[in-house]
Amino acid sequence: MYSGGMSTSERLIESTRALLWERGYVGTSPKAILERAGAGQGSMYHHFKGKPDLALAAIRRTAEEMVATTTAVLDGPGTPYERIEAYLLREREVLRGCPVGRLTMDPEVVADDALRAPVDETLDRLRARLAEVVEEGKGQGELAPGLDSAEIAATVVATVQGGYVLARASGSPAAFDAGVRGLLALLAPRHR
């Protein structure tokens, strides 16, 4: 499945990332990881201490990717509102859910401080960056001065994560899209 130029440890991490998104931690067996990675029996234990260590590397990689993608949009061109809008409207695999957010519904990940930490840190970083953009919008007079930046940031994240849940439950991205449109309407600058 993965290119021959990719090292075994990279193939193991990428396979684990995909399986965690598809099946969750419990559903991701070492056998499935090895099969997807095209790796031999002992390779996981050669490169990692075991499944938890490999899962942590995969979760960190997924978290780093999400931070990079989000930062690129929120630090991109446009007014603060336009950047929040770009974040909310960016292309996503809505019916698959968020590869980071879905981990919060996995009891094994939530119960393990080491596995949960990169998930929590990623969502914290996202909320913090969104709050900065909201503050910028307030400072420029684009967003209402009375808005609580931290609360708006939490609302944006909750809309996206909740939208994933609603879309998956209904089997349609329509609920996600409706939530995003509703939040954008509430945040829209008055001069629009």
Side-chain angles (χ1 to χ4, degrees):
M1 172 159 195
Y2 295 102
S3 96
M6 193 183 283
S7 71
T8 302
S9 65
E10 283 298 308
R11 289 194 327 264
L12 290 167
I13 290 170
E14 290 303 314
S15 296
T16 304
R17 287 179 64 197
L19 289 165
L20 286 172
W21 195 6
E22 291 167 17
R23 305 178 183 182
Y25 185 81
V26 174
T28 299
S29 69
K31 180 181 177 186
I33 294 168
L34 293 171
E35 284 176 3
R36 180 158 302 191
Q41 194 86 21
S43 31
M44 181 165 72
Y45 297 99
H46 174 73
H47 295 283
F48 301 94
K49 293 176 191 155
K51 178 182 164 182
D53 187 42
L54 176 54
L56 181 58
I59 292 168
R60 283 184 177 147
R61 174 82 52 84
T62 299
E64 289 165 9
E65 190 176 277
M66 181 175 162
V67 167
T69 301
T70 300
T71 300
V73 173
L74 293 175
D75 292 354
T79 68
Y81 176 85
E82 289 168 346
R83 293 188 322 242
I84 292 169
E85 180 181 48
Y87 167 72
L88 288 167
L89 295 176
R90 77 176 179 80
E91 192 169 323
R92 293 175 166 84
E93 294 185 60
V94 175
L95 295 179
R96 287 187 73 192
C98 175
V100 172
R102 281 188 66 178
L103 294 168
T104 64
M105 296 178 208
D106 193 314
E108 297 290 324
V109 172
V110 173
D112 185 310
D113 291 341
L115 294 176
R116 188 181 69 249
V119 174
D120 187 35
E121 290 163 13
T122 300
L123 295 173
D124 280 347
R125 286 177 69 182
L126 175 56
R127 283 191 306 270
R129 184 63 192 113
L130 282 162
E132 290 169 356
V133 175
V134 172
E135 276 300 310
E136 192 181 327
K138 288 168 50 178
Q140 294 176 7
E142 182 182 38
L143 298 177
L147 293 177
D148 182 300
S149 299
E151 288 177 0
I152 296 303
T155 301
V156 171
V157 173
T159 298
V160 170
Q161 294 302 319
Y164 281 126
V165 171
L166 294 174
R168 286 176 56 81
S170 68
S172 167
F176 182 96
D177 296 341
V180 165
R181 283 192 312 272
L183 178 57
L184 287 171
L186 291 172
L187 289 177
R190 300 208 188 270
H191 64 272
R192 285 190 153 224

